[in-house]
Amino acid sequence: MLQEPKYSGRAVLVIDTHVLPVTATLAFSADGCSGVLRTQVVSDADLDFPPEPVPLTLLQEPKGEVWGTVSVCRRTPEGAVSMKFRGVGG
């Protein structure tokens, strides 16, 4: 059985002037990639996600940049946020 390439590690999400360090867990397929990003949120402005794709820079191997859309799926009482990331082809 063929295993999908995966990425689990540190990444940086850039939205306009906001740079948000995240922990990314992504699965890659022929259609692109999708997964979950987790972070500690400094302010609500960090959660203002545009509808258009934004760059996610992968800081560990395989390093690179993927573009995708982000949406918040869960916020914990401790201030951590889980976000859904859906990559777009490019």
Side-chain angles (χ1 to χ4, degrees):
M1 186 169 134
L2 210 60
Q3 189 175 8
E4 284 185 345
K6 294 193 181 332
Y7 179 84
S8 183
R10 295 179 308 124
V12 175
L13 189 63
V14 179
I15 301 168
D16 294 326
T17 59
H18 291 281
V19 177
L20 205 54
V22 298
T23 301
T25 305
L26 303 173
F28 294 89
S29 67
D31 300 327
C33 70
S34 63
V36 176
L37 310 178
R38 290 179 191 83
T39 190
Q40 291 293 121
V41 169
V42 178
S43 73
D44 283 341
D46 291 334
L47 298 178
D48 189 15
F49 301 124
E52 66 270 4
V54 294
L56 177 69
T57 303
L58 308 180
L59 301 177
Q60 293 166 221
E61 293 301 325
K63 292 180 181 179
E65 187 176 83
V66 291
W67 285 74
T69 56
V70 181
S71 59
V72 173
C73 46
R74 200 166 54 86
R75 192 170 191 165
T76 67
E78 297 81 34
V81 174
S82 291
M83 299 163 279
K84 275 195 268 192
F85 182 84
R86 178 155 306 279
V88 294

